[in-house]
């Protein structure tokens, strides 16, 4: 794959940072940059055919209604879902998890029930469940993570039971970058008939997802982490579950008949999409999926794997640098600390060189507590990153180290 | 090493962040509080012994970046022995020193080199919360003290 | 005001519709077109300084964090709120109302309580309350609307009591275009200490709002109806209420300390903004407010009032055309029917002439039932509309009438 | 009046939308259902009397635009007397006729002028739901009948 050509589709890399450097963007686990095609889809909508959707029999409302449905179809294919009915647009991964917590799980919880999550979860896949537990007297069971960053699968097997009413799990930790074996987990969960929600926020920019193969019940993600716009995401849900559960929100577009006495609801997926959607966001998500599809999956895999391995070995060569977690099943996400230099200071130094990394707890405080690290530096790669980015990173780290020693 | 960075991490800051003169716990204290930045995880516990209407003794413990550590150390040093009446004024001066929106030049505010070092935070707005973490929380504490 | 100059800021009007006509956009009550400055704010963000906010000490994350706070400040000034703490970004008006229903009202409802709304409400400000009533055994009291389109204020006075735990009301009906006297209502509600939520979705593109003068407790709106982007809106809430209530959503960015046992929350407004926000949306909303501020409020008022009056008298001259509601306190929103021609057919005919109007129940089925109209045509104006638009509308209506007679 | 519109609202549609031959209620019926489009408010109640294994009698009532009214009228007319076995086929043919995604030309599907009139809906995708409202709901009903 010609990475220069790919990178040239991202306009942000055409300019210099305020300190006059080339932008070296290594915070892709937080959010990824946007290719021109995604930006164009949004601009085109706002400047050439702006309207609402779903109502309005005029041009351009009719055109946009069709386009939104096309994106739904694209998402369906992208996830290999069975039907467009299984695809609901949301405001993002956090929004999606909260919606499932409220509309699916809350109404059926009773005291004595259990919700199972893991020790690697992002706050978005932890606090909603914690709050449900508070409200319903439910117990939160936390799958331990091993030093390698892998989940303790034996523990899951031992602790899964019919009492577990939901298993909510990320497909990949946003700190350690270790991918979880979802298939293995849904197979165990099938035995106890525990529905499984997958937080796929971290995987869609670099991994193909097949919800049928995974056999998960719900899956959520945000567009902005896969080259798409902010403010839009998706909940995938099996039809029977989407059908039975309460609407995510109440408002226009979800009802058939309304009187002051009662309302009845549209069919899925519309039942779960009250109000004017983030239309520009959905159109941008469509363009993002097209962008990803146009890359060769094999070559993307190879590129990101090479980058990650190169980064791992280059970083390990730095004195006093410690990488969190192991190297097996590794996504392009690496967290580390350097003896005697606080991550925040590192980040400031790297920023002067035009290098963007994250310093802190990455919205995963309990995981950092588990690894006894108050804060770490995280670097994460996307298709537009190169070995030269990593060389510059390492150089800048060495310079920082020299300054602080 | 560019000039901007150099000024941010002047010798004062690097030195103070390593000094352990004010690090630790007091056996006896009048005021104890935690300064915590949830965004980055920096966290300090400060203890102050008030005697004879002044800050007699100050200590801090916890972890954070070099700027937040140095800032906690300078807070302890700068307020040691200060009378209660003038504490607030000194805290507010420091907060103005690191505030890029202030219309006063740092040099107009003070000539204390240890304080002036932090004025470089004006150039690094994202590090302001490191520079003023402990000071801001102390101000909150003073407000609460006044109310009770 | 030079309307041509204002209109020229909206790129969509530069092209022809698919039938080769000038676009005459009269569905502003559904959503408004976007000026170039709003589009540029979004494009600039995505192509020149894209990043997440709130975390990340690097350029451009630091820049965007500051910008988001500036928009919060702009919204605060725009609504004349007391503090930025009273401004929470949401995904839109529907989202905001649902959030208040769940986080503010639901936890304090008990059977025997009353929620009061009005007969003119959009489904977004009806169904969330209806569902709460179902869940908590609460009663829904509906303020009747008079033939003129005005609320029955006497009725409100008689029916308000301490039992009413919330009064949720639109500032302006999206069908009749009649503005409600919010100040009068909050004054009555003060006596019974009933919190008042204002659905301001319909007013912000043409009216200044002053939440302190109105003395409402909550106010919601969507950016897309005031020249801003889709997928973003605002909830204004009084500080004491925002402080006491549960977070709108749970996730990253709202917590101070998190362990698997418990979490404690950030201060408002951040407590209510879990997850990566719709950053592009918020930046676009900022540009939309700037756009509105740059227009003279007096001249905007005059222009829209003239247009509305001109439209009313031109439409009334059409045989068999009936306008819903009266002409007092009228916003630039007019709903009507024409004897013997279904609104949907009218809309198709107008579309051929490049004229966009809405036909249907406008997500306010109970209101249409009240007026015994199964569906209506709605035209609604914004600052870029002209008398010539209305002349063309009337001509097209006459042609349609000729065809069907 | 442009050609596109003319073809959509051909005389057939205008006429059928005004005819009241099939408007009303049956005293005796085997099947009753509501075809409702929540987006625009069009709503029809259809009643069908099934005797001797065929659609003996059909009526509709309700309100909607001229296209949805005409379509309900033509449904009644077209299916009157039709044997149960062939109803589905006729419904599916109509649905294909109005479907812009079909790869068959309308004329390949039928030469019935009353049906062909609705093919103009292919040009107006936003009016497709008007043209096929009653037909689609009838198909749903047939599915349910089959299952039970
Ligand atoms: C694993 C994981 N889950 C959930 C989220 C939340 O995503 P968002 O902030 O887009 O709602 C993130 C990103 O921050 C994440 O990394
Ligand atoms: C009065 C009123 N309230 C609420 C809404 C819902 O707004 P949104 O669809 O942007 O959430 C609308 C617009 O459709 C409206 O007109």
């Amino acid at each position: 794959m010609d990475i220069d050509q790919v990178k040239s589709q991202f306009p942000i890399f055409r300019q210099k940072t305020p300190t006059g450097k080339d932008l070296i963007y290594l915070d892709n686990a937080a959010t990824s940059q946007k290719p021109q095609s995604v930006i164009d889809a949004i601009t085109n909508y706002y400047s050439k055919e702006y309207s609402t959707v779903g109502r309005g029999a005029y041009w351009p409302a009719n055109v946009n209604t069709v386009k939104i449905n096309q994106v739904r179809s694209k998402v369906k294919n992208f996830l290999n879902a069975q039907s467009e009915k299984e695809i609901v647009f949301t405001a993002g991964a956090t929004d999606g998890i909260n919606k499932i917590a409220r509309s699916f799980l809350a109404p059926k919880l009773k005291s004595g029930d259990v919700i199972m999550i893991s020790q690697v979860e992002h706050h978005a896949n932890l606090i909603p469940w914690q709050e449900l537990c508070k409200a319903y007297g439910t117990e939160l069971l936390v799958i331990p993570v091993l030093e390698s960053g892998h989940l303790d699968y034996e523990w899951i097997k031992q602790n899964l039971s019919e009492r577990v009413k939901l298993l909510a799990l990320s497909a990949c930790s946003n700190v350690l970058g270790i991918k979880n074996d979802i298939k293995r987990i849904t197979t165990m969960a099938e035995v106890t008939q525990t529905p499984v929600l997958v937080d796929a926020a971290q995987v869609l920019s670099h991994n193909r997802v097949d919800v049928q193969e995974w056999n998960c019940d719900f899956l959520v993600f945000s567009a902005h982490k896969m080259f798409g716009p902010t403010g839009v995401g998706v909940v995938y849900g099996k039809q029977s579950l989407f059908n039975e559960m309460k609407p995510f929100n109440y408002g226009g577009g979800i009802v058939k008949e309304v009187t002051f006495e009662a309302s009845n609801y549209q069919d899925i997926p519309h039942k779960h999409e009250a109000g004017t959607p983030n239309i520009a966001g959905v159109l941008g998500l469509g363009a993002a999926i097209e962008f990803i599809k146009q890359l060769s999956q094999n070559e993307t895999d190879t590129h990101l794997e090479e980058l990650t391995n190169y980064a791992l070995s280059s970083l390990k060569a730095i004195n006093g640098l410690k990488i969190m977690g192991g190297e097996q099943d590794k996504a392009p996400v690496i967290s580390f600390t350097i003896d005697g230099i606080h991550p925040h200071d590192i980040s400031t130094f790297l920023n002067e060189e035009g290098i963007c990394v994250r310093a802190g707890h990455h919205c995963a405080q309990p995981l950092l507590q588990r690894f006894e690290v108050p804060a770490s530096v995280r670097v994460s790669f996307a298709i537009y990153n190169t070995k030269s980015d990593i060389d510059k990173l390492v150089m800048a780290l060495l310079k920082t180290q020299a300054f602080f020693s | 090493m560019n000039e901007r960075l150099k000024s941010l991490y002047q010798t004062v800051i690097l030195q103070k962040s390593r000094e352990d003169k004010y690090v630790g716990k007091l056996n006896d204290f009048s005021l104890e509080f935690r300064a915590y930045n949830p965004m980055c995880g920096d966290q300090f516990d400060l203890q102050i012994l008030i005697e004879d209407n002044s800050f007699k003794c100050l200590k801090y413990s916890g972890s954070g970046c070099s700027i937040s550590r140095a800032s906690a150390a300078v807070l302890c040093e700068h307020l040691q022995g200060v009378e209660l009446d003038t504490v607030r004024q000194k805290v507010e001066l420091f907060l103005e020193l690191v505030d890029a929106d202030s219309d006063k030049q740092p040099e107009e505010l003070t000539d204390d080199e240890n304080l002036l070092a932090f004025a470089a935070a004006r150039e690094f707005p994202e590090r302001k919360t490191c520079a003023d973490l402990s000071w801001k929380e102390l101000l909150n504490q003073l407000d609460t003290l006044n109310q009770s």
Side-chain angles (χ1 to χ4, degrees), chain A, chain B:
Chain A
M1 184 152 32
D2 181 350
I3 297 300
D4 284 346
Q5 194 278 325
V6 173
K7 186 165 178 172
S8 73
Q9 296 179 45
F10 291 77
I12 197 166
F13 296 114
R14 264 175 237 147
Q15 2 135 53
K16 299 284 178 187
T17 71
T19 56
K21 308 286 173 162
D22 288 330
L23 178 68
I24 297 176
Y25 185 76
L26 302 178
D27 196 12
N28 293 287
T31 197
S32 55
Q33 296 297 335
K34 312 308 166 207
Q36 192 62 47
S37 60
V38 168
I39 302 170
D40 287 347
I42 297 167
T43 322
N44 184 63
Y45 168 60
Y46 282 133
S47 54
K48 300 218 173 101
E49 49 184 33
Y50 181 76
S51 76
T52 189
V53 294
R55 327 145 197 202
Y58 53 78
W59 179 88
N62 47 8
V63 173
N64 288 315
T65 306
V66 171
K67 285 194 177 178
I68 291 283
N69 289 334
Q70 284 168 346
V71 177
R72 204 186 295 280
S73 217
K74 278 181 200 173
V75 175
K76 179 210 127 200
N77 294 334
F78 188 62
L79 302 178
N80 192 30
Q82 278 185 353
S83 158
E84 283 81 7
K85 294 183 185 173
E86 298 175 323
I87 307 301
V88 167
F89 296 116
T90 66
T94 303
D95 187 44
I97 296 171
N98 278 273
K99 281 172 166 164
I100 295 167
R102 287 188 303 250
S103 292
F104 171 74
L105 196 57
K108 53 170 77 173
L109 277 187
K110 45 188 196 322
S111 125
D113 285 348
V114 173
I115 302 171
M116 191 180 278
I117 62 170
S118 92
Q119 219 169 7
V120 305
E121 299 312 314
H122 186 276
H123 293 168
N125 199 27
L126 157 58
I127 313 182
W129 313 119
Q130 200 171 48
E131 289 294 322
L132 281 189
C133 288
K134 260 199 242 168
Y136 294 89
T138 321
E139 190 185 345
L140 192 68
L141 271 188
V142 182
I143 306 168
V145 61
L146 309 174
E147 204 58 34
S148 68
H150 289 87
L151 299 181
D152 186 339
Y153 292 93
E154 264 315 302
W155 188 97
I156 304 179
K157 200 173 213 158
Q158 280 158 21
N159 287 274
L160 260 176
S161 75
E162 265 94 43
R163 283 175 58 218
V164 183
K165 291 300 179 275
L166 187 78
L167 203 167
L169 199 68
S170 58
C172 173
S173 153
N174 70 316
V175 178
L176 307 173
I178 304 293
K179 292 182 253 184
N180 296 322
D181 188 344
I182 301 293
K183 181 92 198 97
R184 187 164 166 195
I185 289 170
T186 55
T187 308
M188 295 189 222
E190 233 183 324
V191 180
T192 56
Q193 299 200 325
T194 301
V196 176
L197 176 154
V198 176
D199 172 359
Q202 280 301 327
V203 295
L204 284 160
S205 65
H206 43 77
N207 273 90
R208 285 290 149 87
V209 161
D210 183 328
V211 290
Q212 293 192 62
E213 197 198 310
W214 275 0
N215 191 26
C216 53
D217 297 272
F218 295 107
L219 180 140
V220 302
F221 66 88
S222 292
H224 72 87
K225 290 185 203 264
M226 47 176 279
F227 315 114
T230 57
V232 62
V234 165
V235 173
Y236 156 86
K238 283 190 180 159
Q239 286 187 54
S240 58
L241 302 179
F242 266 175
N243 266 324
E244 86 188 23
M245 64 205 263
K246 296 199 306 177
F248 284 161
N249 261 336
Y250 300 101
I254 70 160
V255 279
K256 283 188 175 153
E257 276 145 307
V258 187
T259 65
F260 286 115
E261 289 69 44
S263 307
N264 57 39
Y265 298 106
Q266 292 242 39
D267 297 334
I268 60 166
H270 306 290
K271 168 180 160 187
H272 294 301
E273 292 179 351
T276 307
N278 185 352
I279 306 170
V282 171
L283 297 175
L285 169 59
I289 292 177
E290 287 304 318
F291 171 79
I292 292 175
K293 281 201 326 207
Q294 147 250 288
L295 303 171
S296 140
Q297 180 66 30
N298 279 345
E299 293 182 57
T300 304
D301 289 352
T302 313
H303 178 62
L304 291 174
E305 222 169 278
E306 275 177 20
L307 269 189
T308 308
N309 290 335
Y310 185 70
L312 284 170
S313 55
S314 312
L315 288 171
K316 283 191 293 189
I318 297 178
N319 235 325
L321 187 148
K322 290 199 198 83
I323 288 169
M324 292 175 70
E327 298 181 12
Q328 283 274 314
D329 303 312
K330 186 85 174 162
V333 177
I334 304 173
S335 280
F336 61 86
T337 55
I338 298 185
D339 285 347
I341 319 180
H342 192 278
H344 222 149
D345 293 322
I346 294 176
S347 157
T348 293
F349 271 73
L350 296 183
N351 177 47
E352 292 295 307
E353 308 287 331
I355 305 173
C356 310
V357 303
R358 267 293 275 294
H361 52 56
H362 322 295
C363 290
Q365 290 183 24
L367 178 63
L368 272 83
Q369 287 154 18
R370 151 73 179 80
F371 279 85
E372 293 174 2
V373 168
S376 78
V377 175
R378 181 183 71 188
V379 296
S380 47
F381 312 119
I383 187 70
Y384 38 68
N385 290 119
T386 60
K387 285 191 180 169
S388 138
D389 292 349
I390 293 165
D391 292 339
K392 287 182 186 155
L393 167 70
V394 169
M395 290 258 289
L397 288 173
L398 291 172
K399 258 168 85 176
T400 309
Q401 218 171 21
F403 178 82
F404 278 97
S405 65
Chain B
M1 176 55 31
N2 69 31
E3 288 309 313
R4 263 163 51 86
L5 271 185
K6 256 194 204 137
S7 78
L8 180 64
Y9 288 96
Q10 307 184 42
T11 6
V12 174
I13 291 187
L14 279 184
Q15 252 174 26
K16 295 287 169 197
S17 75
R18 286 171 186 151
E19 247 178 46
D20 49 13
K21 189 164 162 199
Y22 295 95
V23 173
K25 298 268 180 191
L26 293 176
N27 289 329
D28 198 20
F29 51 84
S30 328
L31 181 66
E32 184 183 41
F33 61 90
R34 172 167 290 182
Y36 175 56
N37 181 346
M39 285 305 171
C40 63
D42 285 7
Q43 179 174 313
F44 298 98
D45 291 314
L46 284 99
Q47 292 177 324
I48 303 174
L49 176 67
I50 304 178
E51 264 181 33
D52 303 331
N53 238 359
S54 66
F55 278 14
K56 184 88 175 190
C57 205
L58 300 95
K59 288 268 183 197
Y60 78 96
S61 54
S63 72
C65 63
S66 55
I67 298 174
S68 64
R69 282 200 317 272
S71 162
V74 168
L75 182 152
C76 294
E77 181 176 78
H78 190 62
L79 297 181
Q80 166 113 25
V82 170
E83 287 191 16
L84 272 186
D85 285 358
T86 44
V87 166
R88 170 180 288 273
Q89 187 191 321
K90 285 185 177 281
V91 173
E92 281 170 351
L93 184 141
F94 182 88
L95 292 176
E96 183 160 5
L97 205 58
V98 298
D99 182 3
D101 293 339
S102 161
D103 27 64
K104 292 220 180 97
Q105 289 302 312
E107 293 73 16
E108 300 172 45
L109 292 166
T110 181
D111 52 11
D112 182 327
E113 298 251 312
N114 285 351
L115 298 183
L116 276 173
F118 291 90
R122 290 187 177 193
E123 294 275 302
F124 294 79
E126 67 277 10
R127 299 306 298 276
K128 181 170 173 256
T129 49
C130 311
D132 66 15
L133 179 61
S134 301
W135 298 79
K136 263 183 121 165
E137 192 49 43
L138 175 56
L139 196 64
N140 280 343
Q141 297 292 323
L142 295 177
D143 289 344
T144 324
L145 276 184
N146 269 353
Q147 277 162 27
S148 61

